[in-house]
Amino acid sequence: VINGREVIRLKPSELMDILEDEENILIYGRSGYGKSTIIKEFAEKMGKKIKVINLATKLPEAIGGIPYATEKEYYVELLSIELKEVFEDDGENWIIFFDEINQASPEVFNTLYGICYPFGADRTWAGHSLAKAQIVAAGNFADGRDGVTYLNELPTPLHNRFFVYELEPSKTDSRNYLAEKWKNIKQVK
């Protein structure tokens, strides 16, 4: 149970099938389990374009202090610039991937409601329709089981805009993933 909702556990191989449904998907899992890698591999396999927006880097502190405008206006402007290519294609054949979603600040969460709307026809950003884009997000567990303590709980209304899954690889999945990821290090076999 995360944020009051039952969460479906799945293996990395099952995640690819879930992504094919083109729904709003939020994937939780421990660091290093391959959430981001699987999503990027899915986009490549399906011939989709992907816009990765790492929300851990969208904190005012990470960009040199408090923005010149109000925080909401700043994030609207920032994402409008980052999503320019997606707008030009009307979102068609795009995945907008919010990585590290629960490392974002509450101000960032407040700007994501429209873009994460579950029904494509109502999904907008700063006056642009994103009805044809798939929204995917990934994050770590905010309850401390991951050993990470700097995470924020997603507000319930934002959390409820996604189908929520927990990536739970087997030992073999983890071993194979890490061996491939770190194959250039002699100690990894």
Side-chain angles (χ1 to χ4, degrees), residues 60 63-78 107 111:
I63 54 173
I66 302 301
Y68 61 88
T70 65
E71 290 172 347
K72 183 173 182 182
E73 288 172 355
Y74 177 79
Y75 292 115
V76 167
E77 182 180 325
L78 182 67
E107 294 81 16
T111 67

Side-chain angles (χ1 to χ4, degrees), residues 17-33:
D17 293 337
I18 297 295
L19 288 165
E20 286 181 14
D21 291 339
E22 296 191 4
E23 301 289 345
N24 285 6
I25 295 174
L26 171 58
I27 301 131
Y28 285 103
R30 295 181 189 271
S31 291
Y33 271 18

Side-chain angles (χ1 to χ4, degrees), residues 84-147:
K84 186 175 188 261
E85 296 171 283
V86 182
F87 298 147
E88 289 170 358
D89 290 339
D90 202 25
E92 190 163 354
N93 209 32
W94 277 91
I95 295 173
I96 301 172
F97 175 38
F98 292 111
D99 201 6
E100 309 293 353
I101 192 167
N102 53 350
Q103 288 186 40
S105 67
E107 294 81 16
V108 174
F109 290 150
N110 289 338
T111 67
L112 297 179
Y113 287 102
I115 199 170
C116 294
Y117 202 80
F119 307 110
D122 297 322
R123 191 178 303 129
T124 61
W125 180 259
H128 297 277
S129 171
L130 290 167
K132 298 176 184 173
Q134 181 179 9
I135 309 300
V136 179
N140 299 90
F141 298 113
D143 62 6
R145 72 177 114 158
D146 202 3

